[in-house]
Amino acid sequence: DGGITQSPKYLFRKEGQNVTLSCEQNLNHDAMYWYRQDPGQGLRLIYYSQIVNDFQKGDIAEGYSVSREKKESFPLTVTSAQKNPTAFYLCASKGQAFEETQYFGPGTRLLVL
Amino acid sequence: SQKIEQNSEALNIQEGKTATLTCNYTNYSPAYLQWYRQDPGRGPVFLLLIRENEKEKRKERLKVTFDTTLKQSLFHITASQPADSATYLCALDHGSSNTGKLIFGQGTTLQVKP
């Protein structure tokens, strides 16, 4: 089955701790995206990558970091600098065509202990 | 910057009726507009895409209209069913060349009662 997976489903972070959210896709898509969703709000773009070894900041990149060493993988690290990390995190991927839609993973809910 | 407004109040309708959801934007006209469905605790799923030069697009019981003069898109679900209950998100292209970036509205929650 082709698709996009995220793990874990739930993640707990302690104060001062960095945590990494996994995102893997086997759709052979070049572009990948990370979004944050808070209750009652739309998705906000954290980082995106259009090609391996290259990524760009989105609208709310502060306190987050990413890497894109493989086409299939785009992990997101929530650093201790992110003071309000509790949210639902969504990863998406997209093919090359200008108008192609984004395919989303099931999401990771991050909670602070 | 571009802003998207969707009705933040939940829409409650009776089974069999037509649900109409609204998406308004405030700035530049997007090249295309997309609608996604999101169930609680899950990722959004793509439903329909409509381009700036299209007035209407249909898919089974779904219909989307796009009025660039009013800066508005309407999303219709005809013969609604309880299984249609979900949050529906409107998304516009970010305006940047081929980055694929989208701007999302906050979504409207639809509740279809049997």
Side-chain angles (χ1 to χ4, degrees), chain A residues 9 33 35 37 40-43 45 48 50 59 88 90 94 96 98-99 101-102 104-106, chain B residues 31-32 34 36 38 41-44 46 49 51 89 94 96 98-102 104-106:
Chain A
K9 187 173 178 65
Y33 307 83
Y35 294 92
Q37 187 175 34
Q41 295 193 33
L43 281 64
L45 183 64
Y48 67 102
Q50 293 184 273
D59 301 316
F88 190 47
L90 289 159
K94 188 186 80 70
Q96 280 190 334
F98 175 64
E99 296 173 350
T101 63
Q102 293 188 11
F104 284 85
Chain B
Y32 57 84
Q34 303 182 27
Y36 289 78
Q38 186 176 24
R42 303 175 79 99
F46 169 75
L49 179 150
R51 299 178 181 84
L89 303 170
H94 202 274
S96 305
N98 203 21
T99 61
K101 293 194 297 182
L102 295 174
F104 283 84
Q106 77 272 35

